[in-house]
Amino acid sequence: MEGKEREEKVDVKVRERKGKSAEYEAVVRAGPHLRPLQQAHAHLVVTGCHRSRALLTKLLTLSCAAASISYTRRIFLSVSDPDSFLFNSLIRASSKFRFPLDALFFYRRMLLSRVSPSSYTFTSVIKACADLSALRLGALLHSQVFVSGYASDSFVQAALVAFYAKSSALNVARKVFDKLPQPSVVAWNSMISGYEQNGLANEAVVLFRKMLELGVEPDSATFVCVSSACSQLGSLDLGCWVHDCVVRSGIRVNVVLATSLINMFSRCGDVKRARVVFDSMNEGSVVSWTAMISGYGMHGYGVQAMELFHRMKACGIVPNIVTFVAVLSACAHAGLIDEGRSVFASMKHEYGMVPGVEHHVCMVDMFGRAGLLSEAYQFVKELGPKELVPAIWTAMLGACKMHKNFDLGVKVAENLISVEPENPGHYVLLSNMYALAGRMDRVESIRNVMIQRGLKKQVGYSTIAVNNKTFLFSMGDKSHPETNEIYYYLDELMWRCKEAGYSPVPESVMHELEEEEREYALRYHSEKLAVAFGLMKTRHGVILRIVKNLRICEDCHSAIKFISIVTNREIIIRDKLRFHHFREGSCSCLDYW
DNA sequence: TTAGGGTTAG
C-alpha cells in the first residue's frame, strides 16, 4: 500500500471514531454562507447522503446562521420525521427573522406531530406572539408553559415579561416580573424596556434605580433602555447620571449603546456631549452616524449636519433612507434649500433610492419654512394620490400659517380633514386657520363638529427637572403647592418683558377651542409656567431645560425670547418637532419652526 | 447533542 493511501485510510478511521464523515466536514466547511451550503447540499444529493438526519441537522443549523429563512424551511421540509431540535431551530429562525406567523404555524405542526415543546420552543413562540401583539394566544401559551413545567426557566420568564410588555399589557408584565424569585438581567431589561416603549419613561428609571439598589448588575442593554427613557424625558441631569453609571460600570460601550447615548444627549439638549460620545466611537455604523446627523438637525445646526453627512460618505458608509430623512430635515430646519434639493436628487441618482413619504414631507417643510410657498404647493401637487398622507398636508399647513397665507391654509386644512377625519388635531388646525382668516363663524362651527363627534384636542404640557425631580405643568395648572408664588412670579416677569418691548400676540390670534382655555391662554401656557418655576428654583447661570409635548406657540416663543433678555438666562425648550435655544433675545430656530 | 430571552437612528 502506498504511503499516501495508507494515510487516507487512517484519516477516515479517525473521522469515523469521532463520528464525523467527509460529507459532514464538507457541510461544516461551507459555514454560515448560503451559496457554499447549497453546493454542499447538492454534493449530499449526488452522494446519496441527503437523507441523513445528522447531515441535514447540521445543514439546517448553518442555514439559520446564514439568515436564510426560505432555505432553512426547505431543508426542514425535506426531513421525513423532524425531531424536537429541528422544530425548535425552524421556529426560532422564523420568529427571529420576523416571520411570526410561520413560527406559530410550525409550532402547531409540532404539536400535531406529537413532538413535545421545550423551553427553547416556548421562548421563540412567545416572541412570535410579542411581535404580533397576540395577547390571547400568548396567554394561552403562558398556561401551556405552566402545564409543561417550564415556568421556572429563566429564558421563558424573560420572554413572557417582554411579551406582555410589548402587547401593552404592562400590568400583567409587572405581575409576572414581580413573581420571579430571581429575575435574570434580561428579565429586568424586558421590564424596563417595556415601560420605556410604552411611554412610561419615569417608571423605567424607577425600576432601574431599584435594580441598582438590589445589587443587580446592569449590562449594556440595560443602559440602552434607560438612556432611551432619558431621551424621552429630556432630562439632562438624569442623562448625565446614567452616562456616569455606564462609565463607572466599566462595561465596553458597543455601537448600540453609543448610538443610544448620542441620541440621549441630543434629545436632552446637549448636542456637544452627543458629539463627544460620537467621536469616542472606534467604528460607527450607519445608525450612529444618522443619530448624530439627526441630533444636529433637531438643534438647527444644518451646516454641521451636512458636514457630517459628507464625511460619512467619504468614510465609505452608505446612507440609508433614515439618513436621508435626517439630512433633509436638518436642511429644512436650517434653511439650506440648495443643499436639500441636491441631497434629494442624489437619493435617486447616486443611490437608486425611491424617496418615500417621509422625504416628501421634509421637502415640503423645507420649501415652506423658507417662504417658498408656491414651490411647496407645486411639489405637493406633483405627488400621487397615495402619497398625499396627512403629514404632507400638515407640513403645507405649517408653511401657510408661518407665511400668513390663510386662504391656501383653509384649503389645505380641509384636505387634511378629508384624509384623516378622526384626528382632533386637524380640526384644531383648521379652526386656527379660520380664526386667522377672520372667519369666526367657521371657528364656532368647527368647535361644534368636534363636540358632536366627541373629539378632544390633545392636552399640552411641559416638564422641567429641578434638583433631580421632574415637574409637570399644563395650561392654567394650579396643582403645584406653590401655585400662587409661581403665578405671581410669572405675572411680574411678563410685566418686565412688556417693559422691554414684548407685546402679547393679539387676542384674535389666540383661538383656543374652549372658553376657559382662552381665559388662561395668553399668560398661563404650560411652557411659561415651567419657565417661571425654573427661574424661581435655580440660581443665576443655570440653563433651563424644558420639554413640551406639543409645538411651542407663537406667543410663548416671543415671550421667552424676552424672558431670556430680562433674566439674562439661557432657556432651552424641546418641543414636538425640534429644539429652541433662547439666548439674549433670540432663538436658534430663527423663528422658523 | 446541537440552540435561547432583552437593546441603536426618522
Side-chain angles (χ1 to χ4, degrees):
Chain A
M1 203 185 280
E2 290 291 317
K4 201 176 174 196
E5 219 174 300
R6 198 165 43 235
E7 250 175 43
E8 270 178 9
K9 278 223 163 169
V10 171
D11 198 26
V12 167
K13 272 194 177 167
V14 169
R15 282 203 303 257
E16 276 172 357
R17 220 181 300 134
K18 283 189 187 164
K20 308 260 190 270
S21 62
E23 287 74 20
Y24 186 93
E25 295 202 334
V27 172
V28 171
R29 220 175 301 124
H33 311 289
L34 185 59
R35 297 299 297 169
L37 277 175
Q38 285 172 329
Q39 280 162 6
H41 195 175
H43 185 68
L44 295 187
V45 175
V46 174
T47 52
C49 301
H50 60 288
R51 300 210 183 282
S52 151
R53 178 180 298 266
L55 290 174
L56 287 171
T57 301
K58 194 67 203 169
L59 205 57
L60 186 134
T61 308
L62 288 167
S63 157
C64 287
S68 171
I69 184 72
S70 58
Y71 184 51
T72 304
R73 197 185 295 132
R74 265 179 39 216
I75 300 170
F76 177 85
L77 293 172
S78 77
V79 183
S80 58
D81 196 15
D83 59 8
S84 168
F85 182 78
L86 286 171
F87 267 112
N88 288 340
S89 302
L90 180 65
I91 292 171
R92 174 170 137 68
S94 307
S95 102
K96 187 177 170 190
F97 298 116
R98 298 280 163 143
F99 292 95
L101 286 171
D102 289 33
L104 296 174
F105 172 80
F106 286 108
Y107 174 66
R108 194 178 129 81
R109 202 156 148 176
M110 182 179 190
L111 297 185
L112 290 172
S113 315
R114 303 201 169 278
V115 178
S116 299
S118 69
S119 63
Y120 289 92
T121 328
F122 285 121
T123 49
S124 310
V125 84
I126 289 167
K127 180 180 153 45
C129 288
D131 286 341
L132 294 165
S133 289
L135 196 52
R136 283 177 63 181
L137 190 58
L140 191 72
L141 281 163
H142 192 171
S143 54
Q144 288 180 9
V145 164
F146 271 112
V147 173
S148 27
Y150 288 109
S152 58
D153 182 278
S154 71
F155 288 83
V156 177
Q157 289 169 348
L160 280 168
V161 172
F163 154 69
Y164 283 115
K166 282 185 185 161
S167 312
S168 303
L170 271 178
N171 292 338
V172 188
R174 187 59 194 254
K175 266 189 191 161
V176 173
F177 177 79
D178 282 339
K179 278 190 186 151
L180 302 180
Q182 258 198 321
S184 64
V185 66
V186 181
W188 280 95
N189 295 349
S190 304
M191 197 63 236
I192 293 171
S193 159
Y195 281 129
E196 188 270 316
Q197 295 281 324
N198 283 279
L200 299 171
N202 268 319
E203 281 78 354
V205 176
V206 168
L207 194 61
F208 173 64
R209 287 189 199 275
K210 190 174 171 191
M211 181 180 183
L212 297 182
E213 273 166 31
L214 293 174
V216 182
E217 210 170 300
D219 66 5
S220 71
T222 321
F223 289 122
V224 171
C225 301
V226 188
S227 60
S228 294
C230 295
S231 308
Q232 235 180 73
L233 294 169
S235 163
L236 184 62
D237 290 343
L238 200 62
C240 288
W241 173 68
V242 170
H243 187 230
D244 283 345
C245 291
V246 172
V247 174
R248 270 184 277 127
S249 76
I251 64 162
R252 199 182 70 83
V253 178
N254 58 27
V255 183
V256 177
L257 178 52
T259 307
S260 187
L261 291 171
I262 291 167
N263 188 39
M264 185 263 284
F265 279 128
S266 302
R267 303 211 348 139
C268 289
D270 197 332
V271 77
K272 277 189 191 146
R273 274 202 173 86
R275 184 59 195 251
V276 171
V277 176
F278 179 79
D279 287 337
S280 73
M281 294 176 77
N282 291 328
E283 211 176 320
S285 64
V286 62
V287 183
S288 44
W289 283 82
T290 304
M292 194 62 239
I293 291 171
S294 160
Y296 280 132
M298 69 177 88
H299 286 271
Y301 301 137
V303 174
Q304 288 86 335
M306 284 306 296
E307 249 174 44
L308 209 59
F309 177 58
H310 291 309
R311 234 187 78 198
M312 166 183 170
K313 291 194 289 184
C315 289
I317 293 175
V318 181
N320 62 23
I321 53 164
V322 186
T323 317
F324 281 107
V325 174
V327 176
L328 291 173
S329 157
C331 290
H333 282 280
L336 302 176
I337 313 298
D338 292 338
E339 288 86 342
R341 270 205 192 98
S342 91
V343 167
F344 185 76
S346 77
M347 269 186 87
K348 268 192 226 165
H349 301 134
E350 258 182 75
Y351 297 95
M353 290 178 186
V354 181
V357 168
E358 318 88 312
H359 308 100
H360 295 146
V361 172
C362 289
M363 292 304 281
V364 174
D365 200 32
M366 185 180 84
F367 291 132
R369 277 172 206 281
L372 305 170
L373 227 58
S374 54
E375 212 154 344
Y377 199 45
Q378 188 56 38
F379 191 92
V380 172
K381 282 196 281 191
E382 283 169 15
L383 295 173
K386 275 194 178 168
E387 295 168 322
L388 292 172
V389 294
I392 292 282
W393 294 117
T394 315
M396 193 62 224
L397 195 55
C400 293
K401 194 179 167 194
M402 192 187 290
H403 300 287
K404 305 200 184 338
N405 188 334
F406 306 129
D407 293 334
L408 184 56
V410 166
K411 214 162 105 184
V412 169
E414 284 169 350
N415 272 316
L416 183 57
I417 288 183
S418 72
V419 285
E420 206 179 35
E422 292 311 309
N423 189 326
H426 302 342
Y427 292 85
V428 177
L429 290 174
L430 178 58
S431 159
N432 287 351
M433 277 302 142
Y434 281 138
L436 291 164
R439 289 149 76 172
M440 298 313 283
D441 54 319
R442 297 288 184 99
V443 174
E444 192 61 25
S445 69
I446 289 286
R447 191 182 154 208
N448 292 336
V449 170
M450 286 188 75
I451 293 168
Q452 269 169 24
R453 299 195 185 171
L455 301 171
K456 286 203 167 143
K457 69 178 276 199
Q458 220 184 333
V459 178
Y461 63 81
S462 299
T463 59
I464 181 166
V466 174
N467 295 331
N468 288 327
K469 239 185 111 178
T470 302
F471 296 87
L472 186 142
F473 294 91
S474 50
M475 175 155 52
D477 197 347
K478 294 192 168 169
S479 62
H480 195 277
E482 289 172 84
T483 293
N484 285 338
E485 289 85 343
I486 298 169
Y487 276 64
Y488 182 78
Y489 183 90
L490 182 56
D491 284 344
E492 197 200 47
L493 191 60
M494 296 320 294
W495 185 80
R496 282 166 63 200
C497 287
K498 277 183 194 163
E499 292 268 283
Y502 159 71
S503 61
V505 176
E507 177 76 20
S508 65
V509 187
M510 302 306 300
H511 25 77
E512 303 298 333
L513 289 179
E514 304 291 336
E515 286 299 323
E516 314 90 89
E517 288 180 6
R518 209 179 284 186
E519 188 187 329
Y520 285 115
L522 273 182
R523 286 196 175 177
Y524 305 124
H525 264 178
S526 62
E527 51 269 55
K528 288 205 195 87
L529 292 170
V531 168
F533 180 72
L535 288 169
M536 282 167 67
K537 293 290 171 188
T538 55
R539 59 174 205 287
H540 192 260
V542 174
I543 300 173
L544 298 187
R545 295 170 190 276
I546 289 151
V547 177
K548 184 170 184 194
N549 66 332
L550 306 175
R551 286 175 74 171
I552 188 169
C553 90
E554 203 179 333
D555 180 65
C556 286
H557 196 266
S558 157
I560 294 167
K561 283 199 278 187
F562 281 96
I563 294 175
S564 74
I565 298 175
V566 299
T567 61
N568 192 19
R569 282 278 194 124
E570 197 173 332
I571 301 166
I572 300 177
I573 298 192
R574 178 178 109 189
D575 76 1
K576 198 178 181 183
L577 283 187
R578 57 164 292 155
F579 275 88
H580 301 264
H581 293 242
F582 295 94
R583 226 176 120 187
E584 294 169 1
S586 61
C587 176
S588 61
C589 79
L590 304 172
D591 301 337
Y592 287 165
W593 75 91

